[in-house]
Amino acid sequence: MIDRRKFITLLGSGTLGMLLNGCGGGGGGSSSDTSTGTGGTGAVSPTIPTSSASGRVIVVGGGMAGATAAKFLRLWGGSGLDVTLIERDRQYQSNILSNLVLTGQRSMASLAYTHDKLSSVYGVKVVYGNVAEIDPAGKRVHLADNSSLPYDRLILAPGIAFDTLPGLESAGDRIVHAWQAGPQTVTLQQQIAGMNAGGVFVMTIPKTPYRCPPGPYERACMVADYLKTRKAGAKVIVLDANASIAAEPATFETAFNFTHAGVIEYHSGVTINSIDPSTQTLDTSAGLIRGDVLNPIPPQRAGTIVSNTAGLANVNGRWAGVDVRSYESTALAGIHIIGDANGSTQPKAGHIANAEAKVCADAILRILAGGSPDPEPVTNSACYSPITASTASWLTVVFGYDSATGTMKAVPGAAGEASSATRDNYDDMFVWFNNLMGDTFA
Amino acid sequence: MIKKTSACLAALMLFGGPAFAQSADSGRLLASNCFQCHGTNGRPSVSGFDRLAGASSSEIYSELKEMQGKTVGNDIMKVHARGYTDTQLRAIATYFAAQR
């Protein structure tokens, strides 16, 4: 029953795969800047099966969550499924490892990814544009160019939006958060490079939940590690709105108290009232604090398409409430929210966004086929964090569905962090990163 | 030994089959938790972590059980492997064994 055309396609792909496999696969474990995000790897590209699945799925947002969802809808759902990815930017700039741009260890270009393979390998229709509005009743997505697209199921993966801190807007490029990798990352890198001996770098951490729980602590470590060998006497002051370190506490307490002792000064329970760009001063709950470079990370909420769609942002008015068996909105049927924008109990980070996307894609395929989602989904969060220019730590958590609360809960015994920051972890970090990005975009 | 094999065969019948099964199955979704580090369908993009595609299911299963039971040392897979039940580990192992 296999038609001739499909047979040839399968054969062709297999042969090509073997050839690629024979010569590819190198480059892992390198801390150099040579592995480009958009470059090819030795991975075999799977063939999309022909399938009886049908339906139109639109994915809004081509970051870690959205790209994974689009890929796996086609990989698992087959060629009968019409998958359209709507994305604003031609390139995705990875937030993961972007703290290494601040220290000059990675370039922005090495952390850039395109959606080309989603289209060429998986047959995802990629539309570059801005979403203006969603019509949940009419099941259509309206774009800024006045076009509109119909859907049977809609996935929103818009990432995060930032609160405005009083004074921050008037600072322009002088004070940046750089918590969304992009031009601000480069600006912050230049500011750090331009610091003088004895200079002071001040960063602030918002209350949880925010994107990438270990990220701010990792940034403090990397900036401290950079400054200590280049700017004698320079300091990193960390003002944390949380009562204590929000991720990998043992790792970062060790890093702050020993590895980077004398450079990092950590203060918990400090919140920001306002910023005065003219004097480079933060007005905080602990008083006025001046810095040569200010890096305030604002509180966050779901990306704007969630707040602009009435009803969706029903968790603390900031995040989209979802049924974590399918990531379908608890407010609007047919709309699923994955990644940082939802209000699940899971962390907001790229690795678990990828896992959420797969659960969502699988659930949508089951629903379109007349079934129901997996009643016991499992996800995992894993992450490597650099602590110095040559060492890293890791954390991992496996989450299982808890029917009593309807939430994802850490499986007992399956959550932990590295016992120390090591060179091996640092090397593994790049293997993890490259495979994660491959699983997401290629 | 025989018991183990028959359990694997049973798991294969339940969860296995071709790489692109027509219906969604829990082995596939569970196994996708490994893809982030070990590559889509167990085929890594870069070398460094094990390739799982096409490995024998009994080997994958026994390695995961060994990691679960480790009492000394601390590595990421020791913690991660504890997130799955025995049935889930078998389903994961069976899924990767069927990949090429």
Side-chain angles (χ1 to χ4, degrees), chain A residues 346-360:
Chain A
Q346 299 160 117
K348 302 184 183 304
H351 184 109
I352 196 150
N354 168 298
E356 292 181 8
K358 290 164 180 165
V359 173
C360 177

Side-chain angles (χ1 to χ4, degrees), chain A residues 95 98-99 102 162 177-179 188 201-224 236-242 244-248 252 255-256 260 264-266 295-300 348-349 383 385-387 395:
Chain A
N95 291 301
S98 66
N99 280 333
L102 302 181
F162 296 92
H177 56 69
W179 209 242
L188 189 59
F201 178 91
V202 183
M203 61 179 293
T204 75
I205 303 173
K207 280 198 172 120
T208 57
Y210 58 82
R211 165 180 281 170
C212 188
Y217 308 101
E218 169 191 305
R219 176 175 289 181
C221 288
M222 293 314 288
V223 173
V236 173
I237 297 177
V238 183
L239 306 175
D240 191 346
N242 298 289
S244 60
I245 293 170
E248 298 177 58
F252 290 112
F256 293 176
H260 300 302
I264 294 178
E265 203 181 283
Y266 175 77
N295 178 221
I297 302 170
Q300 296 148 34
K348 302 184 183 304
C383 173
S385 282
I387 301 299
L395 70 79

